[in-house]
Amino acid sequence: MPAQYSASVPNLVPSAAATFTDAATFKDAATFRVVNQCTYTVWAAATPGGGRRLDRGQTWVLSVGAGTTTRRIWGRTNCSFDANGQGRCETGDCDLLLDCSSSGSPPSTVAEFNSSQNGRDILDISLVNGFNIPMQLRPTTGACRGIKCSDDINNQCPEVLKAPGGCNDPCTVFKTAQYCCNDASESCGSTAYSQFFKDRCPDAFSYPRDDPATFTCPGGTNYTVTFCP
């Protein structure tokens, strides 16, 4: 998993915020503020956590126990849901539901982290599933830097990777071991397509085995995930 970059603290505009807590581990919980600074609506998603519509300037707050194994946060675009929370998104869709319990479909920019592994949080921004929304992941407490991927990737996307609302990863398009890294016996490394993403977002995970793109912060650090930083 990848992540680290320093930036000024964005102005956060509070809104009705959902907070998810585990009473057994609350004393060790970390807080995640998910902020939409895009000019358009983003339907934020988190596993675990669910989903939330965020209009411009709105914030969604999640608190989880530090023992949570893995957390993924991403944004969905051009969504439409009915009163039962069923519908569809152009990018980042999760089983046609507002409240996600599974990962989003490509293309989607994803913030990932494992909590308190040997006293450290392991972080990254992943473009392994492509790119749909610029994103920043930064600590609000703790002595570590944040990371972001804010280049205009959608408008620079190679023709073969273009998708409605985003830029696909090559595995989604070509479905071969060279790009998907799903066969241990196959060589899997950087390609021209992963380099396209890496050139524009150097800190981000650009292909499945891009291990140097992981970063750490002290366990228990709080974070802000910003769409369109």
Side-chain angles (χ1 to χ4, degrees):
M1 302 165 58
Q4 277 185 314
Y5 166 92
S6 280
S8 59
V9 178
N11 291 324
L12 304 181
V13 181
S15 68
T19 301
F20 300 83
T21 61
D22 180 342
T25 56
F26 181 77
K27 65 184 179 64
D28 297 320
T31 298
F32 301 87
R33 298 176 61 86
V34 185
V35 184
N36 181 20
Q37 292 187 168
C38 300
T39 58
Y40 48 86
T41 298
V42 173
W43 283 260
T47 55
R52 173 63 62 93
R53 172 177 173 148
L54 295 179
D55 294 325
R56 183 179 185 181
Q58 290 187 318
T59 298
W60 182 27
V61 179
L62 303 99
S63 293
V64 295
T68 299
T69 304
T70 301
R71 176 169 290 276
R72 293 165 60 88
I73 295 175
W74 70 98
R76 297 168 287 174
T77 59
N78 296 327
C79 301
S80 178
F81 295 102
D82 63 21
N84 296 317
Q86 298 179 334
R88 183 182 299 274
C89 298
E90 185 175 56
T91 66
D93 193 77
C94 61
D95 298 328
L96 309 180
L97 298 173
L98 172 61
D99 288 322
C100 296
S101 59
S102 62
S103 297
S105 60
S108 57
T109 316
V110 182
E112 301 177 313
F113 39 85
N114 289 330
S115 296
S116 296
Q117 299 295 304
N118 298 318
R120 305 290 295 179
D121 291 347
I122 303 173
L123 317 170
D124 72 80
I125 289 178
S126 175
L127 304 182
V128 171
N129 289 330
F131 177 98
N132 65 337
I133 303 173
M135 177 185 285
Q136 181 183 52
L137 171 61
R138 63 177 301 275
T140 55
T141 60
C144 56
R145 74 178 183 94
I147 51 173
K148 71 176 179 180
C149 177
S150 59
D151 210 331
D152 187 15
I153 287 179
N154 288 342
N155 286 326
Q156 301 174 49
C157 187
E159 192 66 32
V160 70
L161 301 183
K162 286 183 178 178
C167 186
N168 270 324
D169 62 285
C171 175
T172 294
V173 174
F174 300 109
K175 299 178 173 61
T176 63
Q178 177 187 8
Y179 299 112
C180 299
C181 303
N182 52 9
D183 186 342
S185 66
E186 295 283 345
S187 61
C188 175
S190 177
T191 66
Y193 294 120
S194 66
Q195 195 61 47
F196 163 79
F197 290 108
K198 181 64 74 175
D199 287 345
R200 288 152 183 80
C201 293
D203 284 340
F205 235 108
S206 61
Y207 66 96
R209 297 182 188 171
D210 191 11
D211 289 337
T214 59
F215 302 86
T216 66
C217 284
T221 297
N222 297 324
Y223 300 96
T224 297
V225 176
T226 305
F227 301 123
C228 301

